[in-house]
Amino acid sequence: MARLLITGGAGFIGSHTCVVLLQAGHELVVIDNFHNSCPEACRRVERLTGRTLVLEQADVRDGPRLNSVFDRHGRFDGVIHFAGLKAVGESVKEPLLYWHVNVCGSRTLLQAMAAHGCRTLVFSSSATLYGNPDSNPIAETAPIRPVNPYGQSKAAVERMSRDVAESQPGCKGWRLACLRYFNPVGAHPSGEIGEAPQGIPDNLFPFISQVAMGERSSLDVFGGDWPTPDGSGVRDYIHVMDLAAGHCVTLEHLLDGQPQLLTLNLGSGCGTSVLQALAAFERVVGRSIPHRIVARRPGDVAMTVADPGRAAAVLGWQTERTLAEMCADGWHWQQRNPLGFG
């Protein structure tokens, strides 16, 4: 059992990971500024697991506040860092905001960890840092060349993590993992927690769900002329519960191992186009979902599919849930919570 700090733990991926970590017996302190999340998510995590966690409102850019959390809760065995902004389109419009939150926030967190003797971190990275890859599936050795500020910010934090790891080699060094995951979707099968974006969704599946519920008139498919089989963009979708399990096994691998910097893809290795995902969701809902093909979105690429082989070799981890389960669990959440956590 470990005592862990989870930044952004009230968010979509963070809350599902908290479920898995609590079920594994770990003790959690969660901090979140609730920019795009809600305290109710953590209350539901507690109900699902029958265990409690400590929840504090804090921003990772706030150094004094972070240090206060470390001071008051004693030594943490490790940190899982989810806190950050994640919308590609918004990052193109607001690049300085993304650099401030994602990069400066991560720097402040690493500084607080160093000051309090905590040197184990799992960082929420992203496949967007691969940009427009030369080939698919994408291995961790592929060139890093992001095409949008969101991806640039993730690449910068990975570079910072590498510098930190190299600054203190040996037995007292850092245990760091950068998890480059692809497209998390779905929800907890109970329908108690799921993705609840505030405002217009930036991600595909929440938007499909809202159109299916009648909250929005139509789904915009960004680009019908990509060099893919049906002209729509192809992505590697991963069930959020599989992703949560990946974070748990990564953390336990770091805690049990030697100082290291571990970089892993978390994905299914299977590509699904936007139109294929829409058709799968329509089969779950039982009716057609209105959509239209519109111009490509700035910062997008044609195809990203993971090569998850290294995660399987190092962690013994692989995805278990199908696209149909992703759609069914996401739809179950949406039906039970049409207003999200509100």
Side-chain angles (χ1 to χ4, degrees):
M1 181 183 71
R3 172 177 289 182
L4 306 173
L5 176 66
I6 315 297
T7 76
F12 174 45
I13 303 170
S15 60
H16 289 79
T17 302
C18 285
V19 169
V20 174
L21 292 169
L22 288 172
Q23 289 174 336
H26 301 298
E27 294 182 0
L28 308 184
V29 174
V30 171
I31 63 170
D32 203 299
N33 68 356
F34 307 123
H35 170 74
N36 194 29
S37 59
C38 178
E40 175 62 18
C42 289
R43 289 191 283 268
R44 295 191 186 188
V45 166
E46 291 180 321
R47 290 206 301 269
L48 283 170
T49 62
R51 298 195 57 210
T52 60
L53 55 78
V54 176
L55 176 62
E56 295 206 23
Q57 184 168 359
D59 191 303
V60 289
R61 294 169 292 178
D62 186 342
R65 178 71 169 143
L66 270 184
N67 284 304
S68 173
V69 171
F70 276 88
D71 290 339
R72 287 184 286 106
H73 293 287
R75 187 181 180 91
F76 289 109
D77 298 299
V79 177
I80 301 183
H81 179 31
F82 295 108
L85 300 175
K86 62 176 185 176
V88 168
E90 182 185 52
S91 78
V92 174
K93 298 175 183 176
E94 299 283 349
L96 293 179
L97 177 63
Y98 271 68
W99 280 85
H100 190 213
V101 174
N102 293 355
V103 180
C104 295
S106 298
R107 174 193 173 278
T108 304
L109 175 64
L110 284 165
Q111 196 169 33
M113 290 176 63
H116 292 84
C118 178
R119 289 182 171 81
T120 300
L121 173 71
V122 178
F123 170 58
S124 169
S125 191
S126 170
T128 57
L129 53 73
Y130 292 120
N132 199 351
D134 294 329
S135 62
N136 283 279
I138 309 166
E140 291 87 351
T141 53
I144 303 304
R145 50 189 186 205
V147 297
N148 54 65
Y150 168 62
Q152 294 280 8
S153 71
K154 291 295 186 180
V157 177
E158 285 205 14
R159 176 69 259 185
M160 189 192 316
S161 299
R162 188 156 56 250
D163 290 344
V164 167
E166 292 172 355
S167 71
Q168 289 185 307
C171 63
K172 294 185 179 180
W174 288 76
R175 293 169 172 84
L176 300 169
C178 297
L179 300 183
R180 298 172 180 172
Y181 39 87
F182 282 63
N183 294 76
V185 298
H188 192 276
S190 66
E192 284 294 304
I193 57 174
E195 190 166 9
Q198 297 177 11
I200 299 174
D202 288 293
N203 296 330
L204 175 64
F205 275 68
F207 209 112
I208 293 177
S209 298
Q210 292 186 10
V211 174
M213 288 290 292
E215 296 174 22
R216 302 191 184 278
S217 60
S218 178
L219 169 71
D220 285 346
V221 178
F222 295 104
D225 58 349
W226 293 105
T228 62
D230 63 16
S232 65
V234 171
R235 297 292 182 267
D236 185 334
Y237 295 101
I238 174 175
H239 197 293
V240 67
M241 292 304 298
D242 283 335
L243 184 57
H247 283 82
C248 185
V249 296
T250 300
L251 176 83
E252 292 170 348
H253 172 84
L254 292 181
L255 291 175
D256 291 340
Q258 297 298 313
Q260 60 186 292
L261 174 61
L262 183 63
T263 302
L264 296 173
N265 288 335
L266 295 188
S268 70
C270 178
T272 302
S273 75
V274 173
L275 294 178
Q276 288 173 329
L278 176 62
F281 213 99
E282 288 177 331
R283 288 192 289 272
V284 168
V285 174
R287 62 179 182 275
S288 62
I289 297 173
H291 70 279
R292 60 177 185 164
I293 307 294
V294 299
R296 296 181 183 183
R297 182 172 54 183
D300 273 350
V301 298
M303 179 183 296
T304 54
V305 178
D307 176 352
R310 188 159 187 251
V314 174
L315 304 176
W317 173 92
Q318 61 185 7
T319 60
E320 298 178 356
R321 296 161 179 85
T322 65
L323 179 64
E325 290 175 285
M326 299 176 210
C327 296
D329 289 341
W331 181 234
H332 182 45
W333 151 259
Q334 186 70 40
Q335 288 181 300
R336 285 175 58 96
N337 305 270
L339 300 178
F341 293 108

